[in-house]
Amino acid sequence: MMIRKKYLLCCAMILLLSLFTGCEKEKAENEVRLDAYGISYEAPKLWTEGENINLMPFHGIDEDGDIYGKLLYTFAPDENMDELNNLESEIPMEELMTPLFEFLVVKEDKLETKSLTEEKEKYLQCEELPAKKGFHFFFLTEPKEGTVHFSKEAKAVYQELQNSLKDLKASIKTFPPVPPKPDESGEKLSKEEIEKMNQEYFNFISKDLAGETVLSSMYQEHNITMINFWASYAYPDINELPELQKLYTTIQDKHPDMDMIQVIIDTPDAAAEEAARKAYAENGVTFTGVTLNPDMASWVLDNVKGLPTTIFVDGSGKILGEPIEKSHTADFYLAEMQKRLGQ
């Protein structure tokens, strides 16, 4: 059985290159390091511990553009997530989410461009961070577009996030950006080549159902990881959780080179996450359930045509073989993992 449903399209603003998941490294518990941008900072605890907080990064590197790197964080309250998930919604995106802050990275010879001036003019505050080897860094806050379309409660949360930026700014460090890696011939990858690579790999930085950070670097601990895509709205009509748990128990006991996780595509959403936790409890699930982030949503939108869908990746996140659709038994999935390992 398959369920087909339209889902999250929050990443319509994705820029030239999607490098966020590839260059972010876990240093300290809350430290974010973006090598391609030459920026590191400590994420405020409010981001992960607060309620009604959905932060979505939109980002890109354009080595030859007026703005070398752009990283924009937007905020959407829980009350707007259903509309963001609704592809047929007629409500403008800017009424459902609003910018929180933005990093800009600009080369020395691009400081007087119209593009940079226009980007700065979107914010009331623009602070220049320490320059490094011909690169200039800007921290933009207090966007002019504001929160007029938000509820009183959402506005209060947004103000808390604004207040947390003081600590974030104090933690920012800049360093010379590390350009995107060239291919084996030494030539810079084209936009088409990078888009193709993004389709062939599934990497992410997200959270589990307990709110803890989950990184795809976990793949490195195993030769193969199975990733099952599911949604809380599919339960109980589609319930292969017992078979997935059986598989997880088997590979934990007998196959240390294997692992599995599940991505819940109707998250982040408080109701969906609670429904998923309830389903997990009812079926004795102990494997990791991962919530969706905008980067993952883009990949899911392009590649997942129905639920459930399952893929397999190696230690680098490279997808092995074709996706598998529909529900299957633990033995079937184990055989598929072993077949891909053999290949």
Side-chain angles (χ1 to χ4, degrees):
M1 180 180 182
M2 297 273 287
I3 283 186
R4 301 186 181 276
K5 182 174 180 179
K6 296 178 180 178
Y7 37 77
L8 192 64
L9 228 183
C10 294
C11 46
M13 297 169 58
I14 286 181
L15 305 175
L16 180 59
L17 307 180
S18 293
L19 297 175
F20 195 74
T21 55
C23 60
E24 186 164 344
K25 301 177 182 178
E26 187 180 33
K27 295 298 181 183
E29 180 180 356
N30 60 338
E31 184 178 352
V32 176
R33 181 181 174 91
L34 302 165
D35 289 338
Y37 295 82
I39 294 172
S40 70
Y41 60 90
E42 293 183 11
K45 289 186 178 180
L46 175 65
W47 290 14
T48 55
E49 297 179 0
E51 297 182 357
N52 194 15
I53 294 176
N54 304 291
L55 288 176
M56 305 176 187
F58 299 99
H59 46 85
I61 297 288
D62 184 355
E63 291 188 84
D64 300 318
D66 290 345
I67 299 176
Y68 172 88
K70 181 186 295 187
L71 173 60
L72 166 69
Y73 269 94
T74 63
F75 163 71
D78 289 346
E79 64 200 43
N80 291 347
M81 293 308 294
D82 285 344
E83 285 298 329
L84 284 171
N85 286 333
N86 179 10
L87 297 185
E88 298 177 355
S89 174
E90 297 181 357
I91 301 177
M93 186 78 75
E94 58 268 20
E95 294 184 16
L96 299 173
M97 56 172 49
T98 194
L100 178 63
F101 70 91
E102 188 170 335
F103 284 122
L104 298 178
V105 185
V106 183
K107 292 182 178 180
E108 185 86 44
D109 60 347
K110 302 288 187 179
L111 290 174
E112 305 299 326
T113 64
K114 181 180 178 181
S115 298
L116 179 58
T117 299
E118 291 177 345
E119 198 66 25
K120 288 181 178 179
E121 288 177 348
K122 297 178 182 179
Y123 296 81
L124 296 175
Q125 297 292 329
C126 174
E127 301 178 68
E128 184 165 1
L129 304 169
K132 302 290 182 181
K133 292 188 177 181
F135 287 90
H136 291 252
F137 306 85
F138 299 91
F139 182 50
L140 311 181
T141 57
E142 299 185 31
K144 293 179 181 178
E145 93 182 38
T147 57
V148 64
H149 299 291
F150 285 177
S151 67
K152 180 179 178 181
E153 293 76 13
K155 289 179 180 177
V157 174
Y158 184 81
Q159 186 58 54
E160 288 183 42
L161 288 167
Q162 286 279 9
N163 295 339
S164 74
L165 296 183
K166 179 179 179 181
D167 292 334
L168 182 147
K169 180 180 180 297
S171 72
I172 296 173
K173 298 176 182 177
T174 59
F175 48 89
V178 178
K181 293 181 179 180
D183 64 14
E184 293 181 357
S185 66
E187 298 296 327
K188 188 168 61 177
L189 295 177
S190 67
K191 179 181 177 181
E192 291 73 21
E193 289 170 326
I194 291 172
E195 289 176 348
K196 182 175 183 293
M197 183 182 299
N198 287 340
Q199 291 298 310
E200 294 176 349
Y201 287 78
F202 185 77
N203 287 298
F204 62 87
I205 299 171
S206 193
K207 299 177 184 177
D208 63 19
L209 289 174
E212 299 296 326
T213 299
V214 182
L215 299 98
S216 55
S217 57
M218 64 186 293
Y219 299 154
Q220 299 172 12
E221 300 175 8
H222 307 277
N223 291 333
I224 186 170
T225 298
M226 182 179 116
I227 305 167
N228 177 265
F229 296 91
W230 176 75
S232 69
Y233 60 71
Y235 185 79
D237 295 328
I238 291 180
N239 182 22
E240 60 176 350
L241 294 177
E243 287 298 316
L244 294 177
Q245 180 59 35
K246 181 180 177 181
L247 170 68
Y248 184 68
T249 300
T250 298
I251 62 179
Q252 287 282 298
D253 291 343
K254 300 180 180 180
H255 302 279
D257 57 340
M258 299 179 179
D259 196 13
M260 71 153 289
I261 60 174
Q262 184 173 70
V263 174
I264 306 160
I265 69 165
D266 57 336
T267 58
D269 175 82
E273 290 171 35
E274 180 58 31
R277 284 192 288 268
K278 182 179 179 182
Y280 277 23
E282 290 175 354
N283 292 276
V285 168
T286 60
F287 54 78
T288 299
V290 181
T291 62
L292 205 67
N293 72 15
D295 284 330
M296 297 160 72
S298 178
W299 189 95
V300 168
L301 185 66
D302 290 339
N303 295 278
V304 177
K305 307 307 179 185
L307 297 178
T309 291
T310 301
I311 63 172
F312 306 84
V313 300
D314 66 12
S316 68
K318 183 177 177 62
I319 298 169
L320 306 172
E322 296 298 318
I324 292 174
E325 296 184 338
K326 300 183 180 180
S327 300
H328 297 280
T329 65
D331 289 341
F332 174 89
Y333 284 128
L334 181 59
E336 288 296 320
M337 295 176 82
Q338 292 171 329
K339 180 171 72 175
R340 284 164 171 75
L341 274 177
Q343 295 171 349

Short mmCIF file of all heavy atoms in Angstrom, two decimals, residues 322-343:
data_model
loop_
_atom_site.label_atom_id
_atom_site.label_comp_id
_atom_site.label_asym_id
_atom_site.label_seq_id
_atom_site.Cartn_x
_atom_site.Cartn_y
_atom_site.Cartn_z
N GLU A 322 18.50 1.75 -6.54
CA GLU A 322 17.24 2.45 -6.71
C GLU A 322 16.40 2.44 -5.44
O GLU A 322 16.54 1.52 -4.63
CB GLU A 322 16.44 1.81 -7.85
CG GLU A 322 17.11 1.91 -9.22
CD GLU A 322 17.27 3.35 -9.66
OE1 GLU A 322 16.32 4.15 -9.46
OE2 GLU A 322 18.35 3.70 -10.19
N PRO A 323 15.53 3.43 -5.26
CA PRO A 323 14.63 3.42 -4.09
C PRO A 323 13.68 2.23 -4.14
O PRO A 323 13.39 1.69 -5.22
CB PRO A 323 13.86 4.74 -4.23
CG PRO A 323 14.67 5.58 -5.14
CD PRO A 323 15.37 4.64 -6.08
N ILE A 324 13.21 1.84 -2.98
CA ILE A 324 12.22 0.77 -2.86
C ILE A 324 10.94 1.37 -2.33
O ILE A 324 10.95 2.11 -1.34
CB ILE A 324 12.72 -0.34 -1.91
CG1 ILE A 324 13.90 -1.08 -2.55
CG2 ILE A 324 11.60 -1.32 -1.58
CD1 ILE A 324 14.54 -2.08 -1.62
N GLU A 325 9.83 1.09 -2.99
CA GLU A 325 8.54 1.62 -2.56
C GLU A 325 7.70 0.53 -1.89
O GLU A 325 7.99 -0.66 -2.01
CB GLU A 325 7.79 2.20 -3.76
CG GLU A 325 8.49 3.41 -4.39
CD GLU A 325 7.69 4.03 -5.51
OE1 GLU A 325 6.84 3.34 -6.09
OE2 GLU A 325 7.91 5.23 -5.80
N LYS A 326 6.70 0.96 -1.17
CA LYS A 326 5.73 0.11 -0.47
C LYS A 326 6.35 -0.54 0.78
O LYS A 326 7.55 -0.50 1.00
CB LYS A 326 5.16 -0.97 -1.40
CG LYS A 326 4.45 -0.40 -2.61
CD LYS A 326 3.84 -1.52 -3.46
CE LYS A 326 3.13 -0.95 -4.67
NZ LYS A 326 2.52 -2.02 -5.51
N SER A 327 5.49 -1.13 1.59
CA SER A 327 5.91 -1.79 2.83
C SER A 327 6.47 -3.17 2.53
O SER A 327 6.01 -3.86 1.62
CB SER A 327 4.71 -1.93 3.77
OG SER A 327 4.17 -0.68 4.10
N HIS A 328 7.48 -3.56 3.34
CA HIS A 328 8.10 -4.87 3.16
C HIS A 328 8.45 -5.46 4.52
O HIS A 328 8.35 -4.79 5.55
CB HIS A 328 9.36 -4.74 2.29
CG HIS A 328 9.07 -4.27 0.90
ND1 HIS A 328 8.59 -5.10 -0.09
CD2 HIS A 328 9.17 -3.03 0.34
CE1 HIS A 328 8.41 -4.41 -1.21
NE2 HIS A 328 8.76 -3.15 -0.98
N THR A 329 8.89 -6.70 4.50
CA THR A 329 9.25 -7.39 5.74
C THR A 329 10.69 -7.07 6.13
O THR A 329 11.49 -6.59 5.32
CB THR A 329 9.11 -8.91 5.58
OG1 THR A 329 10.07 -9.36 4.62
CG2 THR A 329 7.70 -9.29 5.12
N ALA A 330 11.02 -7.39 7.38
CA ALA A 330 12.38 -7.20 7.87
C ALA A 330 13.36 -8.04 7.04
O ALA A 330 14.45 -7.58 6.70
CB ALA A 330 12.46 -7.58 9.34
N ASP A 331 12.98 -9.27 6.71
CA ASP A 331 13.86 -10.14 5.93
C ASP A 331 14.13 -9.56 4.55
O ASP A 331 15.25 -9.64 4.02
CB ASP A 331 13.24 -11.54 5.80
CG ASP A 331 13.25 -12.30 7.12
OD1 ASP A 331 14.03 -11.92 8.01
OD2 ASP A 331 12.47 -13.26 7.25
N PHE A 332 13.09 -8.96 3.94
CA PHE A 332 13.26 -8.36 2.62
C PHE A 332 14.26 -7.22 2.69
O PHE A 332 15.18 -7.13 1.86
CB PHE A 332 11.91 -7.85 2.11
CG PHE A 332 11.99 -7.09 0.81
CD1 PHE A 332 11.89 -7.75 -0.40
CD2 PHE A 332 12.17 -5.70 0.80
CE1 PHE A 332 11.98 -7.05 -1.61
CE2 PHE A 332 12.25 -5.00 -0.39
CZ PHE A 332 12.16 -5.67 -1.59
N TYR A 333 14.11 -6.33 3.67
CA TYR A 333 15.02 -5.19 3.79
C TYR A 333 16.45 -5.64 4.07
O TYR A 333 17.41 -5.09 3.53
CB TYR A 333 14.54 -4.25 4.89
CG TYR A 333 13.36 -3.39 4.51
CD1 TYR A 333 12.22 -3.34 5.32
CD2 TYR A 333 13.37 -2.63 3.35
CE1 TYR A 333 11.13 -2.54 4.98
CE2 TYR A 333 12.29 -1.83 3.00
CZ TYR A 333 11.17 -1.79 3.82
OH TYR A 333 10.09 -1.00 3.48
N LEU A 334 16.59 -6.66 4.93
CA LEU A 334 17.93 -7.16 5.24
C LEU A 334 18.60 -7.71 3.98
O LEU A 334 19.79 -7.46 3.73
CB LEU A 334 17.85 -8.24 6.31
CG LEU A 334 19.18 -8.86 6.75
CD1 LEU A 334 20.11 -7.78 7.31
CD2 LEU A 334 18.96 -9.96 7.79
N ALA A 335 17.84 -8.43 3.17
CA ALA A 335 18.38 -8.98 1.93
C ALA A 335 18.80 -7.85 0.98
O ALA A 335 19.83 -7.95 0.30
CB ALA A 335 17.35 -9.88 1.25
N GLU A 336 18.01 -6.78 0.93
CA GLU A 336 18.36 -5.64 0.07
C GLU A 336 19.64 -4.96 0.54
O GLU A 336 20.47 -4.54 -0.26
CB GLU A 336 17.20 -4.64 0.04
CG GLU A 336 15.98 -5.09 -0.74
CD GLU A 336 16.29 -5.26 -2.23
OE1 GLU A 336 17.04 -4.42 -2.78
OE2 GLU A 336 15.80 -6.23 -2.82
N MET A 337 19.83 -4.85 1.85
CA MET A 337 21.04 -4.25 2.39
C MET A 337 22.26 -5.12 2.05
O MET A 337 23.30 -4.61 1.65
CB MET A 337 20.92 -4.07 3.91
CG MET A 337 19.84 -3.08 4.30
SD MET A 337 19.59 -2.94 6.10
CE MET A 337 20.92 -1.79 6.52
N GLN A 338 22.11 -6.43 2.20
CA GLN A 338 23.21 -7.32 1.89
C GLN A 338 23.54 -7.30 0.40
O GLN A 338 24.72 -7.34 0.01
CB GLN A 338 22.85 -8.73 2.35
CG GLN A 338 22.78 -8.86 3.88
CD GLN A 338 22.22 -10.19 4.33
OE1 GLN A 338 21.37 -10.79 3.66
NE2 GLN A 338 22.67 -10.66 5.49
N LYS A 339 22.51 -7.19 -0.45
CA LYS A 339 22.74 -7.15 -1.90
C LYS A 339 23.52 -5.89 -2.27
O LYS A 339 24.46 -5.96 -3.07
CB LYS A 339 21.40 -7.19 -2.63
CG LYS A 339 21.53 -7.14 -4.14
CD LYS A 339 20.19 -7.38 -4.82
CE LYS A 339 19.26 -6.22 -4.65
NZ LYS A 339 17.99 -6.40 -5.42
N ARG A 340 23.14 -4.77 -1.68
CA ARG A 340 23.84 -3.53 -2.00
C ARG A 340 25.26 -3.52 -1.44
O ARG A 340 26.16 -2.96 -2.06
CB ARG A 340 23.03 -2.34 -1.47
CG ARG A 340 21.81 -2.01 -2.33
CD ARG A 340 20.83 -1.11 -1.62
NE ARG A 340 19.79 -0.63 -2.52
CZ ARG A 340 18.77 -1.35 -2.96
NH1 ARG A 340 18.66 -2.62 -2.59
NH2 ARG A 340 17.87 -0.83 -3.77
N LEU A 341 25.47 -4.15 -0.31
CA LEU A 341 26.83 -4.28 0.21
C LEU A 341 27.69 -5.09 -0.76
O LEU A 341 28.86 -4.78 -0.99
CB LEU A 341 26.81 -4.96 1.57
CG LEU A 341 26.60 -4.05 2.79
CD1 LEU A 341 26.53 -4.90 4.06
CD2 LEU A 341 27.70 -3.03 2.90
N GLY A 342 27.11 -6.13 -1.34
CA GLY A 342 27.83 -6.96 -2.28
C GLY A 342 28.21 -6.22 -3.55
O GLY A 342 29.20 -6.53 -4.21
N GLN A 343 27.40 -5.21 -3.90
CA GLN A 343 27.66 -4.43 -5.11
C GLN A 343 28.73 -3.37 -4.88
O GLN A 343 29.20 -2.79 -5.84
CB GLN A 343 26.37 -3.77 -5.60
CG GLN A 343 25.31 -4.78 -6.05
CD GLN A 343 23.97 -4.14 -6.33
OE1 GLN A 343 23.75 -2.97 -6.00
NE2 GLN A 343 23.06 -4.89 -6.91
#
